[in-house]
Amino acid sequence: MELVAGSYEQVLFGFAVHPEPKASGDRQKWTPVADFTHHAHTASLSAVATNSRFVVTGSKDETIHIYDMKKKIDHGALVHHNGSITCLKFHGNRHLISGAEDGLICVWDAKKWECLKSIKAHKGHVTFLSIHPSGKLALSVGTDKTLRTWNLVEGRSAFIKNIKQNAHIVEWSPRGEKYIVVILNKIDVYHLDTASVSGTITNEKRVSSVTFLSESVLAVAGDEEVVRFFDTDSLMCLCEFKAHENRVKDMFSFEIPEHHIIVTASNDGFIKMWKLKQDKDVPPSLLCEVNTNARLTCLGVWLDSVTDTKESLPPTAELSPVSKQEQPKSNKKESSNGVQEAGRQSKPNMKKCGLAGVSKKRTKGSGLVSPKKRKIGEVLERKKRKKKI
């Protein structure tokens, strides 16, 4: 497995974790080994997502960068958005969904790296999104004080709920029977069958990250050193533990044979792996930690050996690259506000990025840009700036 974390310093860190053979009676040791650092972005990293082959990162430089973890190479960048990337989510190995400050939600083919759908989702920024385990629905929240439900089968808005404040996190439970919406230090718990709030959890400080440990247990981190486990049915705090010396920025949980693990990343520079107990009333035990000496912002875990059973969105949701005719009816009024057409990439080949399809004229939403072309573009941009000065 590989721990990957983005930072304010524009660097992506990768640490390979190797569980050492367990001697009889001894506790198994887990050792994180520095595997790579990559400085592909020109601004701080804001989001990271993983599937069984790729790690993708989003940044305030408005790009999404792709890393092929099997080949250990930089696979290029996606340049569709006109604003800081705020959230990235894979569904299986076939689809990536991105949200940004331009208000767009984009669905990407993660094989050919084509933009299949580009939807003007919010009037303000898209602050967070979450995909239902079935792949048929997604939830998003934005700075327009709305919670929006998306029908991913048809690529259109299904429901809009006005909320009193700007929410900054939304998350489905593992089975998709409930979801939570976070506003500052309040966590509203919704049930899917009623789409109404069943209760509210109050954290001590503003919530920075959440992750479901089971259908009813939620791990909550805030602008503090402590992580808390809450029961989303009783709304009670089950336990809390000091995880870091500074605020916890992101968390990630996953299961492997014999282990249920939660990973935390903090502004103090540390990434820590914790082994969860079967009884969630008991704090987890520390497996290993590593100091990046950077201000960490986002976190992911790439699992090499795990095959992902959710290969794609449902068959009816196989989308094709967007055209004017395919824009959802609900977005006709919003098309002038920034819905962009995405061209079709002729081959998923970094060396030959010729594009064809709905528009011969290349737009910012054309798709994959090879590392070499991107580097040349950055050099030219710097020269232009110098001339202006």
Side-chain angles (χ1 to χ4, degrees):
M1 76 181 73
E2 190 105 13
L3 307 180
V4 289
S7 66
Y8 282 110
E9 290 80 7
Q10 308 169 11
V11 175
L12 177 71
F13 297 91
F15 294 91
V17 180
H18 305 285
E20 296 176 8
K22 186 179 179 182
S24 58
D26 292 338
R27 202 181 71 158
Q28 189 176 31
K29 290 183 179 180
W30 296 64
T31 308
V33 179
D35 191 25
F36 69 86
T37 57
H38 196 59
H39 195 159
H41 291 283
T42 57
S44 61
L45 277 71
S46 50
V48 62
T50 64
N51 68 5
S52 64
R53 178 164 184 176
F54 295 104
V55 169
V56 295
T57 56
S59 167
K60 291 187 177 180
D61 66 9
E62 306 182 359
T63 67
I64 300 166
H65 223 82
I66 309 161
Y67 312 90
D68 188 325
M69 295 296 287
K70 299 281 189 182
K71 296 180 179 179
K72 299 291 182 183
I73 60 169
D74 184 337
H75 195 65
L78 303 174
V79 289
H80 191 95
H81 289 285
N82 284 303
S84 298
I85 310 301
T86 54
C87 41
L88 294 167
K89 299 287 181 180
F90 274 109
H91 184 76
N93 290 322
R94 192 60 195 263
H95 293 96
L96 171 71
I97 301 184
S98 62
E101 288 185 354
D102 56 7
L104 294 182
I105 286 178
C106 297
V107 181
W108 301 89
D109 182 326
K111 299 287 185 183
K112 299 177 181 179
W113 297 110
E114 296 171 345
C115 182
L116 302 176
K117 284 285 179 184
S118 180
I119 307 165
K120 183 65 178 175
H122 289 269
K123 290 176 183 176
H125 303 167
V126 177
T127 52
F128 213 88
L129 61 87
S130 182
I131 306 168
H132 190 270
S134 68
K136 294 179 180 180
L137 294 173
L139 293 170
S140 69
V141 288
T143 56
D144 56 1
K145 298 180 182 178
T146 62
L147 166 66
R148 300 188 182 227
T149 306
W150 300 96
N151 181 332
L152 294 180
V153 177
E154 298 177 16
R156 62 175 178 82
S157 176
F159 185 73
I160 301 172
K161 180 179 177 63
N162 292 311
I163 48 184
K164 293 178 181 178
Q165 292 173 278
N166 291 328
H168 61 282
I169 298 174
V170 62
E171 197 72 65
W172 286 104
S173 63
R175 291 203 300 265
E177 294 173 4
K178 65 181 74 167
Y179 55 93
I180 58 99
V181 176
V182 180
I183 301 170
L184 299 175
N185 68 325
K186 306 281 188 183
I187 303 166
D188 289 330
V189 182
Y190 289 77
H191 280 271
L192 182 61
D193 52 356
T194 61
S196 60
V197 178
S198 62
T200 300
I201 294 166
T202 304
N203 195 47
E204 295 267 330
K205 298 272 182 82
R206 181 185 183 276
V207 175
S208 55
S209 179
V210 299
T211 184
F212 275 95
L213 306 179
S214 68
E215 188 65 20
S216 61
V217 179
L218 183 72
V220 178
D223 289 345
E224 55 188 329
E225 305 86 358
V226 173
V227 173
R228 295 182 179 87
F229 296 167
F230 287 95
D231 187 310
T232 56
D233 295 324
S234 69
L235 309 177
M236 299 295 290
C237 180
L238 301 175
C239 74
E240 66 176 63
F241 63 98
K242 184 179 178 181
H244 291 271
E245 296 301 322
N246 207 326
R247 59 181 176 173
V248 181
K249 289 294 289 183
D250 205 358
M251 297 186 296
F252 190 93
S253 67
F254 62 97
E255 291 185 62
I256 54 175
E258 299 180 14
H259 292 88
H260 189 178
I261 292 170
I262 185 169
V263 186
T264 58
S266 167
N267 264 11
D268 64 10
F270 277 87
I271 305 170
K272 297 186 180 185
M273 282 180 62
W274 309 82
K275 183 181 178 181
L276 293 163
K277 311 291 187 185
Q278 206 160 12
D279 184 357
K280 299 302 184 294
D281 292 355
V282 180
S285 57
L286 184 65
L287 289 174
C288 64
E289 61 181 34
V290 62
N291 188 3
T292 64
N293 294 305
R295 292 170 295 168
L296 301 178
T297 56
C298 49
L299 174 72
V301 177
W302 180 72
L303 299 170
D304 186 15
S305 58
V306 177
T307 53
D308 202 325
T309 54
K310 299 174 186 173
E311 280 299 314
S312 63
L313 298 177
T316 51
E318 291 300 330
L319 308 169
S320 57
V322 294
S323 67
K324 287 179 181 176
Q325 288 75 29
E326 289 173 329
Q327 292 296 342
K329 289 180 182 179
S330 60
N331 290 315
K332 278 184 179 178
K333 292 179 183 178
E334 297 176 314
S335 62
S336 61
N337 294 334
V339 176
Q340 301 176 15
E341 294 183 3
R344 181 175 294 177
Q345 189 181 332
S346 58
K347 290 184 181 179
N349 188 334
M350 285 161 49
K351 292 179 182 177
K352 186 178 179 181
C353 287
L355 302 166
V358 295
S359 176
K360 289 182 181 179
K361 184 181 178 182
R362 181 160 179 154
T363 67
K364 196 181 178 189
S366 297
L368 189 67
V369 176
S370 70
K372 186 177 178 182
K373 284 186 178 180
R374 188 163 178 268
K375 203 75 179 174
I376 292 167
E378 287 171 6
V379 171
L380 291 172
E381 190 64 33
R382 281 197 291 269
K383 284 181 178 178
K384 280 182 185 177
R385 285 189 199 132
K386 283 180 182 177
K387 283 180 181 179
K388 286 179 182 178
I389 293 166

